[in-house]
Amino acid sequence: MAQVLVTGGTGFIGSWCVRAALDAGHTVRTTVRDPRREPELRARLHTATPFDDDRLTVVRADLEDPDGWGDAVTGCDYVLHVASPTLRRAPAHGDELLVPAREGALRVLRAARDADVRRVVLTSAFGAVGIGHPPRATPFTEEDWTNLDSDIPPYQRSKTLAERAAWQFIREEGDKLELAAVHPTGVLGPLLGPDDPPSLRLVRRMLEGRMPACPPFGMGFVDVRDVADLHLRAMTNPAAAGERFLATAGHSLRVIDIARILHDRLGERAAKAPTRELPVWLTRALGVVNPELRLLRHQLGRDLDATSAKAEQLLGWQARPIEDTIADTAESLLTRAIGA
């Protein structure tokens, strides 16, 4: 078993990666920005899975602070770099996301190289693959990159530039350090703790009746537990070195399809979920006054499909049915009463 560093251990994907690494028998070190959150993190992990406390170490490190990263990676065999700025609110300017995403990734890579880490697995996103392109009939693959010459939202731009910087670092300065990248589509699934991850906002608002109609677009979705599993496969499989891996469960889903699944699987508990889809023209008009709808402008009227064939064939990865994931997401949100 290995010593694994997971950055951003209190985050939605990060906490599931910590759990997956512990379940696999590894010794785990994880970074947090606020050390006061350590007791909460340990408690939620102990509730989710049995493990010896001495197999988990929590250290402080911040993407925007150069201090702490050398100590965080010392003695580690692998690094799962999950931590990244997220869209909990609209950024005031593009650099608010870009700088910590790109510079944070480079800090982790430099520290990992200097500590003789074998491989870093970078959590990128579909946002670094399939945004800013004209409509197409074929699914996006790992060969695609988001078009930075188009007017794309800050989050997708930050993920794209951070990943491009990471690959450039490996080519020019990485020495023996290996890199793999995981690109989840929309991440759903159950919560491990009390956080309110932005990726669950869609389902939460449906359940609360705060989405009277669905925006007209489709995209891929995937279970957070399967995303964590793919990180571990990309961490240890020799074939993963130097590769990108899309993570998605089947074909894209329209937002209205998610609402229909909620009605079907939860019945009356999903009574507030919408039953109709907005026209594209009306959604664009509402985007003038609604910043969140405005961020979706590149997706309206489209189905951004992607394929995980590469991860399935090269790493033996398999996503669970997305209908089960949507139901589990809703059950978790209802149990924790997120946003109520």
Side-chain angles (χ1 to χ4, degrees):
M1 295 296 103
Q3 172 81 47
V4 181
L5 174 69
V6 180
T7 68
T10 57
F12 184 40
I13 297 176
S15 60
W16 277 104
C17 284
V18 171
R19 175 180 171 172
L22 290 169
D23 286 345
H26 300 299
T27 301
V28 180
R29 187 180 299 156
T30 190
T31 66
V32 297
R33 285 180 296 175
D34 184 353
R36 291 173 297 182
R37 297 195 66 184
E38 178 177 351
E40 168 206 325
L41 176 60
R42 286 188 181 275
R44 76 165 76 164
L45 288 167
H46 275 300
T47 299
T49 189
F51 67 94
D52 293 332
D53 254 323
D54 59 2
R55 285 204 297 123
L56 175 65
T57 304
V58 181
V59 299
R60 184 200 174 279
D62 191 316
L63 293 178
E64 300 185 70
D65 186 345
D67 295 335
W69 291 106
D71 291 338
V73 300
T74 298
C76 290
D77 302 293
Y78 303 103
V79 173
L80 306 183
H81 180 42
V82 186
S84 184
T86 56
L87 282 175
R88 293 186 181 273
R89 57 176 176 77
H93 50 79
D95 284 352
E96 189 176 337
L97 290 176
L98 171 58
V99 172
R102 182 180 61 197
E103 297 308 313
L106 292 175
R107 285 190 180 105
V108 171
L109 288 169
R110 289 190 191 100
R113 177 202 59 195
D114 294 345
D116 294 323
V117 168
R118 298 180 201 171
R119 184 180 298 173
V120 173
V121 180
L122 173 70
T123 309
S124 190
F126 176 77
V129 173
I131 307 301
H133 297 280
R136 58 192 279 179
T138 57
F140 287 94
T141 74
E142 292 83 358
E143 298 300 313
D144 294 302
W145 281 89
T146 282
N147 178 15
L148 290 171
D149 292 329
S150 63
D151 179 26
I152 63 175
Y155 175 73
Q156 286 85 348
R157 183 174 295 275
S158 74
K159 297 300 282 190
T160 307
L161 288 170
E163 190 192 350
R164 283 200 175 277
W167 288 115
Q168 181 178 357
F169 174 88
I170 291 296
R171 289 192 303 269
E172 298 177 358
E173 305 177 50
D175 196 12
K176 296 179 291 184
L177 179 64
E178 297 175 345
L179 179 66
V182 173
H183 296 75
T185 51
V187 182
L188 302 176
L191 290 158
L192 276 180
D195 284 344
D196 179 18
S199 64
L200 301 192
R201 189 176 295 160
L202 180 71
V203 174
R204 177 166 45 84
R205 288 180 175 174
M206 286 183 178
L207 294 172
E208 294 172 351
R210 294 195 289 131
M211 185 183 290
C214 296
F217 73 91
M219 59 179 285
F221 293 90
V222 65
D223 195 295
V224 67
R225 295 165 290 190
D226 297 328
V227 173
D229 175 57
L230 183 53
H231 277 74
L232 290 197
R233 291 171 185 264
M235 181 180 84
T236 56
N237 193 313
E243 301 290 346
R244 307 170 84 209
F245 296 98
L246 274 162
T248 192
H251 294 291
S252 65
L253 283 179
R254 303 284 287 190
V255 177
I256 189 65
D257 292 329
I258 295 176
R260 289 168 179 154
I261 291 167
L262 289 172
H263 283 289
D264 179 62
R265 296 290 289 267
L266 274 74
E268 285 301 312
R269 291 184 296 158
K272 296 179 181 179
T275 58
R276 61 190 180 93
E277 184 178 85
L278 286 170
V280 173
W281 68 267
L282 180 56
T283 311
R284 291 193 188 281
L286 292 172
V288 173
V289 295
N290 186 317
E292 292 188 356
L293 287 179
R294 190 159 58 246
L295 288 173
L296 298 174
R297 61 189 179 277
H298 293 287
Q299 298 168 240
L300 297 179
R302 299 182 58 188
D303 288 285
L304 298 178
D305 202 8
T307 175
S308 288
K310 181 178 178 180
E312 294 166 4
Q313 295 165 9
L314 203 61
L315 304 182
W317 179 78
Q318 190 67 50
R320 69 197 69 204
I322 197 61
E323 294 83 1
D324 293 345
T325 296
I326 292 168
D328 289 348
T329 303
E331 294 285 0
S332 181
L333 289 170
L334 290 170
T335 298
R336 298 179 185 276
I338 293 296

